């Protein structure tokens, strides 16, 4: 077997549009298509005596639905169902879905149906024939190969049985859970077509899809390894080539990796490629979540046939005694929340816009970690955390108890799928799948997690009432603390669940306490947003509780509570002062959250007090404890003014809540497209305001919503959604778009109040997922040239320009065929005697050409039209001159002539044989070419004596 490897460093520019498929510049998809199938399904709740799988089955009376879909809408209080949290019957039904689909492909292609997740077990029929079933987990992705079942170029019938019945072998069943097991096709569904020579799905095997790791992460450079598995499902061997582009956030290729191999018929091959990144290198962190793209294109001979694209970030973390969690060399304490994915009424059936928006809310609160409790969650939320800079703790679906060997086998499969699907994401740092949630470490699950991913931490998922009092066989002790749990003696510890209260007092207690021990590195509140849960016991009243939690940082409809603003004051750098509303400012205490040094509180213009943050032992280790003013606020206006270093920084005003006066209507998301067709939805908030515009948190109004235009209210008439009850002054309802795009107007009315309304526009939903996600790829070569005499030491992966006379003063660049000419009015000298120097790019700086006096001119011809950046190196190897930046450069291009004195090196060098930990002295310039005229750069030493040098250059097109 012959394998060829080629690594070429590149920076890219504009290429031609890819064929006629509306892909952006430089983007090549080959034969792959990915079609979103969320729209246009027929739905029936409950099983049928005659299976509705045949092509001719009459589904005309079935309900028209879109995915994500919850088979049964529920009330805010879960219909007050009398059933325990084992949940053997409630919502545990079979759902049937059918869809007619024309598949525009041919017999030389592969056809797949991809499911992001289905509750709970899935069976699939295509054109009346059973394709298979997936009965492993209701929270993980899977796919079916339907190639042998479809009618190419014709209409096909898809029938899906989503079986959410109580199951002894699929976790978290058959046990109690502190979350509701909803049903249906609740995540995205796709039709994927590929060439028979294609990259397979990440979850198919350990070596499957694309697997990216960053084995070396330094402050100024890193190494990335990329494993790409290609399946050849042809009956003949195929000469395959992979071109992997590593692309920066602006779309420019910074590295190109090319490998070739012959893949035997009906077999797979895993390409292993690696690259170092030194230029355009950026670290990923919560403050700077820099993402690179890895675009992988597969060729059959010279024809592109397939592609996939992934993202990754360079980041390095460790646990160190006395420092805790260390990210990229700096200690970082992690503060965040647990996230359940469900929303009231609609359960788990969320559009991607909701996942992103919730992640954004946590980011705006300043949180830097989210625990995905207690199951694998949507790709859209993980992607949002990558983009926004939020660490993730992810776990498979368990809660306290476990089952037999079959149960464990399914849990192992689900854990492997979870890790393989999400292992490329820089946001994920902890796998919670090494233990049973709240029971502690499980050896077989620890080994599964480490077999799949040895690079991330595993957590014990412990509880204070049982299991080991440390990390056990895992990496970190992850525990719950709702009172005051004793710390382990030496283990690195994260409190994966701690108490929370709307006034933030409980949150401050736990976070301060855990920050006080350097072996503790994370405090994650229970709970990010309130959610539905069932009763532990329906007979014993001591276990009675509400069907909806009340202690989240956000309300069930994701409206921030006062505690949200304390997190902002503690974690966000922007100056803030916030007076908590009357759900937290009451009983003779006014709570102010601020990151200022002092706060003045006024009522109706009269100073109440000027205070420092609370000096309380329970808040000692916080950055910014709350300010508690002991003031019985009965009426009037409060104003809080924040001061730092004695100067006013910011202020906040709140008026005492009055009587309900009018309704303000808003949508939860206005900065993302709202797609028509029903797959995307929006929450509508109706806030009850007084005359001064304050939310009346104590009002008990009911709000009647009405809709006009291109939308519908999501309500089946049985869940008490409309009129809607008000919680803490806000009523909420969901709307979706009709098939036709247009304007939606929502009107909210309540007895005795002035009504409110708000409009929103829907846009057409594009089902082509590749064009939805594709971004431009600008692919221009980077030309790196090292200049020197006969025995010069050439920099690794640089082009060699070697000479010893005037005959060698012209050079053609290998990638662009640009001609470069060096000229001078004095005698040119070449140095390349095999001597070396110390420093970055030392082999560039150790030799070159030089003149005793005068100028050196660099002339470039045969350039393509565009804007260019060039870095030229001028490190003097003779000791007759100080190593300074005193060089004048004149650029003559299509824009005319421009002269400046170089100042790109701030501090001079004093040792000709060393540049320390920096590059040789260099000058960075830009110029524009019209594609026909030459461009010249003239370098002149400002010093009266001493030599002028040119060691090499880096040339790249940037526009």
């Amino acid at each position: 077997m012959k394998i060829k490897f080629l690594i070429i460093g590149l920076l890219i520019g504009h290429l031609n549009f890819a064929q006629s498929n509306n892909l952006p510049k430089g983007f090549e998809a080959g034969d792959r298509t990915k079609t979103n199938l969320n729209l246009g399904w027929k739905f029936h709740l409950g099983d049928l005596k005659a299976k509705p799988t045949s092509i001719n089955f009459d589904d005309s009376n079935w309900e028209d639905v879109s995915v994500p879909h919850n088979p049964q809408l529920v009330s805010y209080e879960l219909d007050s169902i009398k059933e325990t949290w084992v949940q053997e019957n409630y919502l545990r039904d079979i759902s049937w879905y059918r869809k007619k689909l024309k598949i525009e492909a041919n017999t030389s292609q592969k056809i797949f149906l991809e499911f992001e997740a289905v509750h709970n077990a899935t069976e699939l029929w295509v054109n009346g024939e059973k394709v298979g079933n997936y009965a492993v987990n209701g929270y993980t992705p899977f796919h079916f190969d339907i190639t042998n079942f479809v009618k190419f170029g014709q209409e096909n019938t898809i029938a899906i049985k989503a079986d959410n019945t109580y199951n002894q072998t699929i976790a978290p069943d058959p046990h109690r859970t502190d979350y509701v097991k909803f049903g249906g096709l609740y995540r995205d569904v796709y039709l994927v077509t590929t060439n028979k020579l294609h990259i397979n799905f990440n979850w198919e095997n350990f070596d499957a899809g694309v697997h990216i790791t960053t084995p070396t992460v330094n402050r100024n450079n890193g190494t990335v390894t990329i494993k790409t598995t290609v399946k050849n499902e042809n009956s003949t061997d195929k000469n395959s080539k992979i071109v992997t582009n590593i692309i920066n956030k602006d779309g420019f290729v910074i590295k190109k990796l090319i490998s070739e191999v012959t893949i035997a018929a009906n077999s797979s091959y895993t390409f292993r490629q690696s690259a170092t990144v030194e230029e355009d290198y950026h670290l990923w962190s919560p403050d700077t979540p820099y993402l690179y793209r890895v675009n992988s294109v597969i060729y059959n001979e010279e024809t592109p046939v397939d592609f996939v694209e992934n993202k990754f970030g360079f980041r390095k973390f460790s646990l160190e005694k006395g420092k805790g969690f260390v990210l990229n060399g700096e200690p970082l304490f992690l503060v965040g929340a647990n996230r359940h994915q469900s929303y009231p009424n609609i359960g788990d059936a969320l559009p991607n816009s909701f996942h992103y928006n919730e992640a954004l809310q946590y980011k705006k609160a300043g949180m830097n970690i989210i625990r995905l409790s207690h199951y694998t969650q949507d790709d859209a939320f993980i992607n949002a955390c990558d983009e926004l800079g939020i660490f993730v703790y992810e776990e498979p679906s368990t809660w306290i108890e476990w089952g037999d060997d079959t149960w464990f086998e399914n849990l192992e499969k689900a854990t492997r799928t979870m890790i393989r699907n999400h292992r490329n994401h820089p946001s994920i740092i902890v796998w919670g799948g090494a233990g049973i949630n709240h029971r502690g470490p499980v050896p077989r699950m620890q080994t599964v997690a480490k077999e799949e991913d040895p690079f991330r931490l595993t957590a014990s998922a412990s509880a204070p009432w049982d299991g080991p009092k440390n990390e056990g066989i895992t990496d970190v002790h992850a525990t719950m603390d709702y009172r005051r749990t004793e710390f382990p003696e030496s283990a690195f510890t994260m409190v994966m669940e701690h108490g929370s209260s709307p006034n933030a007092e409980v949150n401050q207690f736990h976070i301060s306490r855990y920050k006080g021990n350097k072996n503790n590195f994370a405090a994650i509140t229970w709970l990010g947003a309130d959610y539905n849960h069932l009763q532990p016991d329906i007979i014993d009243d001591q276990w009675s509780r509400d069907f909806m939690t009340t202690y989240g940082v956000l309300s069930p409809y994701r409206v921030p509570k006062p505690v949200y603003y304390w997190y902002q004051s503690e974690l966000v750098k922007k100056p803030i002062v916030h007076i908590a509303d009357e759900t937290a400012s009451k009983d003779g205490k006014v709570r102010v959250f601020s990151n200022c040094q002092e706060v003045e509180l006024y009522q109706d213009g009269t100073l109440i007090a000027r205070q420092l943050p609370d000096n309380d032992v329970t808040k000692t280790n916080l950055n910014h404890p709350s300010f508690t003013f002991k003031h019985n606020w009965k009426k009037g206006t409060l104003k809080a003014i924040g001061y730092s270093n004695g100067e006013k920084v910011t202020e906040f005003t709140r008026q005492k809540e009055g009587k309900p006066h009018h309704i303000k209507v808003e949508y939860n998301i206005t900065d993302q497209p709202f797609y028509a067709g029903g797959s995307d939805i929006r929450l509508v908030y109706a806030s009850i305001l007084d005359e001064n515009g304050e939310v009346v948190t104590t009002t008990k109004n009911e709000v009647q919503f009405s809709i006009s235009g291109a939308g519908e209210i999501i309500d089946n008439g049985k869940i008490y959604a409309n009129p809607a009850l008000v919680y803490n002054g806000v009523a909420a309802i969901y709307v979706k778009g009709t098939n036709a795009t247009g304007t939606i107007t929502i009107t909210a009315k309540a007895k005795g109040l002035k009504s409110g309304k708000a409009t929103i526009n829907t846009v057409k939903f594009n089902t082509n997922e590749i064009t939805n996600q594709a971004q431009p790829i600008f692919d221009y070569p980077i030309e790196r040239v090292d200049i020197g005499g006969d025995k010069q030491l050439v920099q690794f992966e640089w082009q060699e320009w070697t000479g010893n006379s005037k005959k060698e003063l012209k050079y053609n660049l290998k990638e662009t065929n640009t001609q470069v000419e060096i000229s001078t009015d004095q005698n040119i000298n070449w140095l390349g005697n095999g001597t070396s120097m110390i420093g970055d790019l030392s082999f560039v700086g150790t030799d070159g050409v030089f003149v005793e006096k005068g100028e050196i001119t660099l002339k470039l011809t045969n350039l393509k039209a565009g804007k260019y950046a060039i870095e030229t190196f001028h490190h003097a190897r003779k000791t007759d001159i100080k190593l300074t930046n005193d060089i004048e450069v004149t650029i003559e291009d299509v824009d005319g002539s421009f002269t400046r004195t170089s100042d790109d090196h701030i501090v001079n060098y004093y040792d000709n044989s060393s540049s320390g930990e920096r590059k040789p002295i260099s000058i960075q310039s830009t110029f524009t070419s019209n594609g026909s005229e030459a461009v010249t750069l003239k370098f002149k030493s400002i010093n009266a004596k001493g030599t002028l040098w040119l060691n090499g250059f880096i040339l790249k097109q940037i526009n």
Side-chain angles (χ1 to χ4, degrees):
M1 184 182 300
K2 182 181 180 182
I3 307 175
K4 296 191 300 182
F5 295 96
L6 175 63
I7 302 179
I8 305 171
L10 297 178
L11 188 70
I12 10 193
H14 300 71
L15 299 181
N16 296 325
F17 282 98
Q19 291 118 30
S20 58
N21 50 11
N22 297 318
L23 290 172
K25 292 181 180 181
F27 202 98
E28 177 58 70
D31 297 334
R32 180 176 289 259
T33 69
K34 186 173 185 179
T35 305
N36 187 297
L37 300 183
N38 285 358
L39 304 182
W41 289 88
K42 288 286 190 176
F43 165 72
H44 179 273
L45 179 63
D47 208 1
L48 298 167
K49 291 183 179 180
K51 284 187 170 61
T53 58
S54 68
I55 295 174
N56 298 322
F57 179 85
D58 184 6
D59 58 16
S60 59
N61 291 325
W62 287 19
E63 183 182 354
D64 293 318
V65 300
S66 296
V67 175
H69 179 252
N70 183 6
Q72 301 176 73
L73 299 177
V74 297
S75 72
Y76 187 88
E77 291 284 344
L78 288 181
D79 311 319
S80 299
I81 192 71
K82 295 297 182 182
E83 186 171 341
T84 71
W85 53 5
V86 176
Q87 197 186 339
E88 292 186 40
N89 300 299
Y90 182 57
L91 306 179
R92 308 310 297 269
D93 295 301
I94 289 172
S95 299
W96 282 96
Y97 297 86
R98 285 172 55 89
K99 184 179 179 66
K100 299 290 187 180
L101 180 66
K102 187 174 182 180
I103 297 178
E104 298 289 357
N106 58 63
T107 56
S108 68
Q109 293 180 292
K110 297 289 295 183
I111 316 295
F112 304 95
L113 278 179
E114 178 187 347
F115 297 83
E116 288 191 350
V118 178
H119 284 318
N120 206 25
T122 305
E123 293 181 71
L124 173 68
W125 288 260
V126 174
N127 296 325
E129 294 187 62
K130 186 171 182 178
V131 177
N133 67 291
Y134 180 81
V136 174
N137 192 263
Y139 298 92
T140 52
F142 57 95
H143 70 281
F144 291 104
D145 183 344
I146 62 172
T147 308
N148 296 331
F149 300 87
V150 303
K151 299 175 182 177
F152 292 91
Q154 301 179 46
E155 184 178 77
N156 293 265
T157 301
I158 310 296
I160 298 169
K161 180 182 180 181
D163 185 351
N164 195 43
T165 57
Y166 185 68
N167 193 303
Q168 293 287 331
T169 63
I170 301 178
D173 280 347
H175 311 295
R176 54 182 168 156
T177 56
D178 197 29
Y179 50 97
V180 177
K181 287 157 277 199
F182 295 98
L185 294 183
Y186 73 102
R187 290 186 188 161
D188 297 330
V189 183
Y190 307 101
L191 177 75
V192 178
T193 69
T194 71
N195 192 280
K196 288 185 178 180
L197 184 68
H198 64 95
I199 300 169
N200 57 356
F201 292 94
N202 274 25
W203 51 79
E204 289 188 44
N205 212 322
F206 177 77
D207 279 334
V210 176
H211 185 186
I212 304 170
T213 57
T214 51
T216 299
V217 178
N218 296 322
R219 187 174 297 274
N220 297 309
N221 59 75
T223 300
V224 57
T225 67
I226 305 162
K227 296 193 300 182
T228 307
T229 300
V230 177
K231 270 188 175 181
N232 177 17
E233 300 195 56
N234 294 280
S235 58
T236 58
D237 298 353
K238 294 295 179 181
N239 295 324
S240 178
K241 178 174 70 174
I242 182 171
V243 177
T244 302
N245 284 319
I246 301 173
I247 304 166
N248 72 8
K249 69 179 182 64
D250 298 316
F252 291 94
V253 175
I254 60 171
K255 288 283 183 175
K256 183 184 289 288
L257 313 176
I258 302 176
S259 306
E260 296 182 19
V261 70
T262 298
I263 304 178
N266 297 309
S267 67
S268 299
Y269 180 81
T270 300
F271 291 95
R272 287 169 167 79
Q273 300 173 303
S274 298
T276 58
V277 177
E278 298 175 79
E279 300 168 21
D280 212 342
Y281 177 76
H282 307 273
L283 292 169
W284 188 99
S285 72
D287 290 337
T288 57
Y290 194 98
L291 292 173
Y292 293 90
R293 296 157 56 194
V294 172
N295 182 275
S296 310
V297 179
I298 305 302
Y299 290 77
N300 180 8
E301 300 290 354
E302 297 302 318
T303 302
V305 294
D306 195 26
F307 99 102
V308 294
E309 186 167 293
N310 293 267
K311 293 182 179 180
F312 80 97
F314 283 105
R315 52 100 178 97
K316 177 170 62 177
F317 59 86
S318 60
L319 297 175
E320 299 181 19
K321 294 293 183 181
K323 295 182 179 180
F325 182 81
V326 177
L327 175 68
N328 301 330
E330 300 293 332
L332 177 66
F333 192 82
L334 303 177
V335 177
N338 281 266
R339 190 225 185 198
H340 271 300
Q341 66 187 7
S342 63
Y343 276 61
N345 311 127
I346 61 173
D348 291 344
L350 312 180
N352 292 337
S353 57
F354 274 42
H355 290 294
Y356 181 88
N357 194 62
E358 187 173 348
L360 182 61
Q361 287 183 287
Y362 295 132
K363 182 66 178 182
K364 288 182 176 180
M367 295 180 181
N368 56 19
I369 188 169
I370 297 294
R371 177 176 176 236
L372 302 181
S373 50
H374 300 292
Y375 39 78
T376 306
Q377 297 197 18
D378 199 291
D379 292 348
F381 189 83
I382 309 294
N383 290 334
C385 291
D386 286 345
E387 178 184 330
L388 296 171
I390 305 173
F391 284 118
V392 171
Y393 171 134
E394 188 170 32
E395 58 194 14
S397 55
T398 64
W399 204 70
I400 295 182
E401 293 164 305
W402 56 92
D404 59 15
D405 280 345
T406 303
W407 185 93
F408 259 118
E409 287 171 4
N410 279 332
L411 181 62
E412 286 184 15
K413 292 176 184 177
T415 302
R416 292 185 191 277
T417 297
M418 172 187 75
I419 293 174
R420 292 169 186 173
N421 188 42
H422 288 158
R423 62 192 174 188
N424 295 334
H425 293 270
S427 58
I428 296 180
I429 56 170
V430 178
W431 299 121
I436 298 294
N437 202 352
H438 302 333
R439 283 294 189 183
V442 177
R444 67 190 292 178
M445 299 309 298
Q446 162 74 1
T447 56
V448 165
K450 287 299 184 181
E451 283 173 7
E452 294 292 332
D453 185 358
F455 303 106
R456 287 180 173 86
L457 302 172
T458 54
S460 63
S462 301
W465 60 76
D466 62 5
K469 188 61 179 178
N470 53 34
E471 72 274 31
I473 57 172
T474 66
D475 295 319
V476 300
H477 179 59
T479 189
M480 304 187 303
D481 192 345
Y482 290 100
R483 296 174 179 86
R484 191 181 178 282
T485 302
E486 181 184 357
F487 299 143
E489 293 178 5
S490 60
F492 288 108
T493 298
M494 64 190 311
V495 55
M496 64 181 184
E497 296 178 19
H498 70 70
S500 178
S501 60
N503 64 13
E505 292 295 321
V506 174
N507 307 69
Q508 293 180 76
F509 168 79
H510 288 293
I511 294 171
S512 175
R513 183 167 175 265
Y514 273 82
K515 286 185 72 175
N517 186 314
K518 293 301 182 182
N519 284 340
N520 300 335
F521 66 93
I524 306 175
T525 187
W526 188 264
L527 179 69
D530 288 319
Y531 73 109
N532 287 121
H533 54 189
L534 291 168
Q535 304 297 308
D537 193 306
I538 60 174
I539 298 175
D540 190 341
D541 287 342
Q542 72 169 320
W543 296 104
S544 178
R545 64 181 183 182
D546 293 333
F547 287 95
M548 182 70 74
T549 62
T550 58
Y551 35 78
V553 175
L554 304 172
S555 80
Y557 294 108
R558 277 49 175 186
V559 177
K561 299 180 187 179
V563 60
Y564 180 90
Y565 300 99
W566 174 76
Y567 276 99
Q568 283 192 330
S569 71
E570 174 73 3
L571 302 172
V572 176
K573 295 178 181 179
K574 180 181 177 181
I576 179 176
V577 61
H578 180 90
I579 303 172
D581 68 26
E582 292 178 47
T583 63
S585 292
K586 58 184 180 180
D587 301 327
K589 294 180 180 179
V590 174
R591 289 184 167 86
V592 177
F593 307 133
S594 180
N595 51 16
C596 297
Q597 294 171 348
E598 296 178 279
V599 170
E600 287 182 343
L601 184 66
Y602 293 83
Q603 177 167 342
D604 299 324
T606 300
L607 178 65
I608 296 170
R610 179 166 177 157
Q611 291 185 192
L612 297 170
D614 295 348
N615 185 16
D616 192 308
V617 67
T618 64
K619 304 176 182 179
T620 300
N621 300 304
L622 299 175
N623 298 327
H624 302 287
S626 57
F627 295 74
T628 304
F629 291 85
K630 294 182 178 179
H631 174 67
N632 189 15
W633 183 28
K634 295 182 178 180
K635 62 179 180 178
T637 301
L638 294 179
K639 177 188 284 189
I641 301 176
Y643 291 88
S644 290
N645 300 320
E647 295 186 0
K648 176 181 175 180
V649 176
T650 186
E651 66 179 49
F652 184 91
T653 300
R654 185 181 293 281
Q655 295 175 311
K656 187 70 175 176
E657 294 175 17
K659 295 180 180 180
H661 177 265
H662 63 280
I663 300 174
K664 181 181 180 180
V665 179
E666 298 173 288
Y667 296 91
N668 69 325
I669 303 170
T670 57
D671 58 352
Q672 298 182 52
F674 183 13
Y675 294 112
S679 178
D680 200 7
I681 62 176
R682 289 293 181 269
L683 262 170
V684 183
Y685 298 130
S687 300
I688 310 299
L689 307 182
D690 63 14
E691 282 189 293
N692 296 316
E694 293 287 347
V695 176
V696 184
T697 59
T698 57
T699 185
K700 301 299 181 183
N701 299 78
E702 289 187 351
V703 175
Q704 182 72 48
F705 291 93
S706 60
I707 190 169
S708 63
E712 300 174 6
I713 291 174
I714 298 177
D715 181 20
N716 61 8
K718 303 176 183 179
I719 59 171
Y720 310 104
N722 196 20
L725 297 177
V726 173
Y727 299 94
N728 290 335
V730 181
I733 202 165
Y734 303 93
V735 298
K736 62 181 180 180
T738 59
N739 291 334
T741 61
T743 300
I744 299 172
T745 300
I746 292 287
T747 302
K749 297 180 179 180
K751 186 176 180 179
L753 304 183
K754 183 179 179 181
S755 62
K757 67 172 57 178
T759 62
I760 194 170
N761 295 315
T762 60
V763 298
K764 185 178 180 180
F765 178 60
N766 180 14
T767 61
N768 187 330
E769 285 294 317
I770 293 178
T771 58
N772 286 342
Q773 302 298 325
Q775 297 175 296
I777 300 175
F778 304 123
D779 192 358
Y780 285 125
I782 301 175
E783 305 276 17
R784 298 178 178 88
V785 179
D786 189 354
I787 302 172
D790 288 338
K791 296 181 180 180
Q792 74 155 319
L793 299 173
V794 181
Q795 190 71 34
F796 301 114
E797 298 179 16
W798 285 49
Q799 297 176 45
E800 177 182 355
W801 184 350
T802 299
N804 57 23
S805 69
K806 291 185 178 181
K807 295 179 181 179
E808 288 84 28
L809 293 178
K810 291 184 179 180
Y811 184 83
N812 279 12
L813 301 183
K814 293 180 179 179
E815 297 296 326
T816 60
N817 201 34
T818 299
Q819 187 178 82
V820 184
E821 181 179 358
I822 299 172
S823 62
T824 177
D825 56 359
Q826 303 292 322
N827 185 49
I828 196 83
N829 300 279
W830 295 80
L831 177 66
N833 58 7
T835 59
S836 60
M837 61 176 279
I838 297 173
D840 291 351
L841 297 181
S842 62
F843 297 134
V844 174
T846 195
D847 36 42
V849 296
F850 65 94
V851 292
E852 299 289 347
K853 59 180 180 179
E855 301 177 350
I856 294 178
T857 299
L858 199 63
K859 180 179 179 182
L860 297 93
T861 56
N862 199 32
L863 285 163
K864 293 182 179 179
K867 189 172 183 179
Y868 290 79
I870 187 169
E871 182 175 16
T872 52
F873 295 90
H874 306 272
H875 190 88
R877 292 292 281 125
K878 293 184 68 176
T879 58
D880 61 342
I881 182 174
K882 288 183 178 181
L883 295 169
T884 70
N885 229 11
D886 296 335
I887 300 174
E888 182 182 274
V889 57
T890 299
I891 300 171
E892 296 178 356
D893 64 358
V894 67
D895 296 322
S897 179
F898 173 72
T899 300
R900 73 179 183 96
T901 300
S902 170
D903 60 356
D904 297 314
H905 262 73
I906 306 303
V907 179
N908 297 330
Y909 294 147
Y910 291 93
D911 184 349
N912 299 75
S913 62
S914 174
S915 59
E917 295 185 45
R918 296 183 292 164
K919 295 185 295 186
I921 285 178
S922 67
I923 299 174
Q924 297 178 14
S925 307
T926 59
F927 60 83
T928 303
S929 170
N930 60 8
S932 58
E933 298 178 58
V935 173
T936 61
L937 293 88
K938 295 181 180 179
F939 304 99
K940 178 182 179 181
S941 177
I942 297 176
N943 293 321
K945 64 177 183 177
T947 51
L948 174 66
W949 289 71
L950 179 62
N951 316 104
F953 59 87
I954 302 173
L955 175 67
K956 54 192 176 184
Q957 190 168 350
I958 58 175
N959 200 347

